[in-house]
Amino acid sequence: MAQRGFFITLEGGEGSGKSTQVPVIADFLRQRGFEVVCTREPGGTKLAEQIRSVLLTRDPDEDLCDTSELLLMYAARAQLVETLIKPSLAQGKVVLSDRFDLSTIAYQGAGRGIALETIAALRQVAIGEFAPDLTLVFDVPVAVGMARMRSRGKADRIEQAGAAFFERIRTCFRDYALSHPETVALIDATPDIATVSAAVEQVITARCLSKE
Ligand code: T5A
């Protein structure tokens, strides 16, 4: 991995604590000499952030239908990959993304019920075979994640879905992690922030840094 940088994604349900870990991981890698770019999905570029606002803001006059939601996720992703992620990797940087394609499989696939074949076809159009080097799936019981989100305030459009939706998403993330052990690590995100950080740093050291 020395020439090209590497791409790490953080995934998980609502309140799983991924966003909290992004700056911690970035510091950990910078202290080891890496240039790090942090981004998020949906969003991460000026145009992709505009798409994010359409996706996450509830319009009382018009519901965003599931197909539009899916297409907008991939529009934002194509923009992010082409204009930020690939150029950064080509410059030897590490890219950390708060969510990426696995969120679409979990939320639009398991959550909304869109067929995985449909998602795969759109992925091919949007980003081809491009994929993370390592995905960290932060796993917490839905009730724990929801309690953390509640303590943070108002829910966005997607966060307003019911508990059954989030249970399907959690199961999807866990199953995916367990069936892709080479590229995906399942992190128990229930303990305190420092304990979760230590677990993450251990995984990154073993999977990315030992190959340097
Ligand atoms: N989406 C996204 C799709 O439907 N399809 C897709 O393809 C993509 C890419 C994005 C939404 O879009 C959906 C998923 C989402 O619903 P968002 O606002 O970016 O929306 O929301 P999230 O990605 O869910 O991120 P959040 O920042 O809102 O939540 P996190 O990252 O899960 O949690 P975090 O770190 O912000 O922590 C939440 C609270 O818990 C505390 C924090 O301090 C914070 O208050 N906390 C902990 N407390 C105790 N112990 C710990 N270990 C803790 N870690 C954090």
Side-chain angles (χ1 to χ4, degrees):
M1 288 191 184
Q3 303 297 314
R4 171 188 172 274
F6 52 95
F7 180 33
I8 301 177
T9 58
L10 294 84
E11 300 274 15
E14 310 294 319
S16 57
K18 329 164 266 74
S19 307
T20 301
Q21 295 296 331
V22 170
V24 181
I25 299 173
D27 281 351
F28 173 79
L29 289 168
R30 285 183 185 123
Q31 281 163 18
R32 280 151 189 80
F34 293 96
E35 259 194 86
V36 182
V37 175
C38 299
T39 191
R40 68 173 182 182
E41 272 225 88
T45 76
K46 189 174 164 218
L47 290 178
E49 287 290 327
Q50 288 176 17
I51 299 173
R52 176 187 176 92
S53 123
V54 174
L55 277 161
L56 299 188
T57 309
R58 191 175 171 279
D59 186 328
D61 299 326
E62 185 179 350
D63 276 348
L64 191 64
C65 76
D66 292 352
T67 305
S68 299
E69 181 179 90
L70 176 68
L71 290 166
L72 288 172
M73 289 293 175
Y74 274 114
R77 186 160 305 138
Q79 189 68 19
L80 180 68
V81 167
E82 281 311 309
T83 66
L84 182 80
I85 299 179
K86 281 185 177 174
S88 301
L89 294 176
Q91 291 164 14
K93 296 175 184 169
V94 177
V95 178
L96 298 181
S97 185
D98 187 346
R99 298 195 181 279
F100 194 66
D101 197 59
L102 183 50
S103 281
T104 306
I105 294 173
Y107 281 76
Q108 282 64 52
R112 304 285 192 221
I114 296 178
L116 290 182
E117 298 73 36
T118 306
I119 293 175
L122 281 172
R123 176 188 309 117
Q124 189 59 41
V125 173
I127 59 169
E129 302 300 320
F130 182 77
D133 296 297
L134 173 65
T135 295
L136 305 166
V137 170
F138 291 79
D139 181 55
V140 280
V142 170
V144 173
M146 297 311 262
R148 287 181 188 169
M149 295 310 286
R150 268 196 301 276
S151 69
R152 239 184 39 168
K154 200 165 167 279
D156 68 36
R157 188 184 65 83
I158 294 177
E159 287 166 358
Q160 289 169 14
F165 175 80
F166 293 112
E167 290 291 355
R168 291 198 295 279
I169 286 167
R170 182 188 185 203
T171 302
C172 177
F173 276 129
R174 288 171 59 90
D175 289 350
Y176 192 93
L178 296 174
S179 59
H180 296 78
E182 336 68 46
T183 52
V184 184
L186 189 63
I187 308 285
D188 177 5
T190 313
D192 60 88
I193 293 171
T195 304
V196 175
S197 298
V200 167
E201 289 170 5
Q202 205 171 25
V203 169
I204 292 177
T205 301
R207 305 260 192 135
C208 302
L209 306 191
S210 59
K211 294 178 188 164
E212 285 298 307

